[in-house]
Amino acid sequence: MRATGIGSMPGEELAPVARHVIDTFGDDGIVFVPELPDRGAPSAMLGRTLGLVPLPIDLQPAGWRLAPGEGMDQRRARSALRADLDLLEELLAEHDAAVKQQVTGPLTLAAMVERPRGDKVLSDHGARRELAEALGEGVRDHVRELRRRFSGELTVQVDEPAITAVLGGKVPTASGFGRHRSVDAPLADALLRPVVRAIVDEGARPVVHSCAPDVPVALLAGAGFEAIAFDVSLARPSDEWAQAFESGTDLWFGGADEARVEDFMGRLGFAAESFAARGAVTPACGLAGRSPADARRALELAATAARSLT
């Protein structure tokens, strides 16, 4: 059992955060590339990913939107990530550590990015397909860059916090009075697959994370993700989880200690020896809203739980 963080951390200076991440996970865990949303929108989950997407996008008061030309904030997002990777590469020069990069998934992008004339990309079948394909291209190029920088195992975590809202038709329209139509499982699968395929083709491991309730386990396992990261406190043990695990999908337990992991898997009918080498322990979600001390402690607790399970 290994351990890692989800992605976001408090603060504006990467160096002290990255050093703590390496100290905590560099030997037997997975070093993640920290996101520091306190720096501003270009360094947050959404902006960082849109810096990778080969489509012109800009930042408006209402949020990110597709645009006729690349915006300044998209360039800032790309530049900030490049600088962060330069520093992490330098700090990992003496380590052969496993590294994880986080990107926002296509369903959440469609629910949060606007079209040029307003309303979400989610409302336009062609636009959301184009955005998913562009995300796949951007992720493919980025994994190649990560491969040039880092010699160890590579994981790409696809963050889908809005997936249950998209599938359930709960994403509000621009007016706030209505809801966008739900996206059914086959259409959602078609949006996820270009991203999964790009990750696998470049030799990295695709993992999906959602800290929302009612994670669509069968959909995510069927789309090709090799592991599902979830909040244990929001998940109900069920046959769906058991079937995914039996079919080869690993589980990453968010916000869990040794006892909660063993209880969850025990309810699925699996003994400790069957999953000790097939999972990870993480905080339940991103840690940007915590104090620096609390965030560091959450990472350390995940590492401690993973070692106990191992």
Side-chain angles (χ1 to χ4, degrees):
M1 187 75 69
R2 295 196 289 181
T4 189
I6 292 300
S8 69
M9 293 288 288
E12 298 183 22
E13 295 296 327
L14 179 66
V17 176
R19 289 190 183 99
H20 186 76
V21 169
I22 293 169
D23 289 344
T24 306
F25 302 123
D27 292 331
D28 52 5
I30 302 172
V31 173
F32 66 98
V33 181
E35 299 164 3
L36 303 179
D38 287 347
R39 293 171 169 173
S43 292
M45 178 190 76
L46 194 61
R48 174 157 277 188
T49 298
L50 293 174
L52 302 175
V53 173
L55 291 175
I57 298 167
D58 66 10
L59 182 61
Q60 296 293 311
W64 295 94
R65 71 171 186 183
L66 301 176
E70 181 182 72
M72 177 176 60
D73 290 291
Q74 188 181 24
R75 292 193 296 273
R76 285 176 174 169
R78 189 177 300 118
S79 176
L81 177 55
R82 188 177 300 116
D84 287 352
L85 292 175
D86 288 343
L87 176 60
L88 196 64
E89 182 180 8
E90 179 182 344
L91 293 176
L92 285 173
E94 304 301 322
H95 295 73
D96 189 27
V99 173
K100 175 171 70 71
Q101 174 76 66
Q102 304 79 226
V103 299
T104 310
L107 299 177
T108 296
L109 284 185
M112 299 180 75
V113 176
E114 292 191 346
R115 297 183 299 167
R117 296 185 179 179
D119 223 331
K120 305 299 184 184
V121 169
L122 185 62
S123 65
D124 186 314
H125 178 78
R128 66 190 188 216
R129 184 180 63 247
E130 181 183 7
L131 183 57
E133 291 173 351
L135 175 62
E137 293 176 20
V139 168
R140 185 184 299 275
D141 290 341
H142 189 60
V143 175
R144 289 173 180 168
E145 180 179 357
L146 294 173
R147 182 66 66 197
R148 290 191 294 269
R149 291 175 177 271
F150 306 109
S151 59
E153 171 192 332
L154 289 179
T155 296
V156 177
Q157 174 186 302
V158 179
D159 288 319
E160 284 286 9
I163 190 168
T164 57
V166 170
L167 297 175
K170 298 178 181 178
V171 178
T173 57
S175 69
F177 296 111
R179 296 290 184 270
H180 289 287
R181 294 179 60 182
S182 61
V183 174
D184 62 25
L187 289 176
D189 178 88
L191 297 175
L192 291 166
R193 283 187 180 271
V195 181
V196 175
R197 185 166 55 248
I199 297 167
V200 173
D201 286 351
E202 299 305 322
R205 189 179 189 216
V207 174
V208 62
H209 166 253
S210 180
C211 52
D214 301 320
V215 175
V217 180
L219 168 64
L220 297 174
F225 290 104
E226 296 182 15
I228 300 173
F230 62 103
D231 183 342
V232 173
S233 69
L234 299 178
R236 297 187 299 272
S238 65
D239 289 344
E240 197 173 41
W241 286 103
Q243 290 166 5
F245 185 74
E246 285 185 323
S247 69
T249 305
D250 293 348
L251 302 181
W252 287 19
F253 304 91
D257 56 18
E258 179 182 2
R260 296 188 75 174
V261 173
E262 291 180 339
D263 178 67
F264 186 90
M265 294 303 289
R267 292 188 181 190
L268 298 183
F270 298 103
E273 58 269 19
S274 67
F275 63 82
R278 287 190 51 198
V281 181
T282 74
C285 213
L287 299 170
R290 304 271 197 99
S291 70
D294 284 348
R296 290 193 297 269
R297 180 62 176 158
L299 298 182
E300 292 161 4
L301 288 172
T304 299
R307 293 184 185 113
S308 297
L309 287 160
T310 303

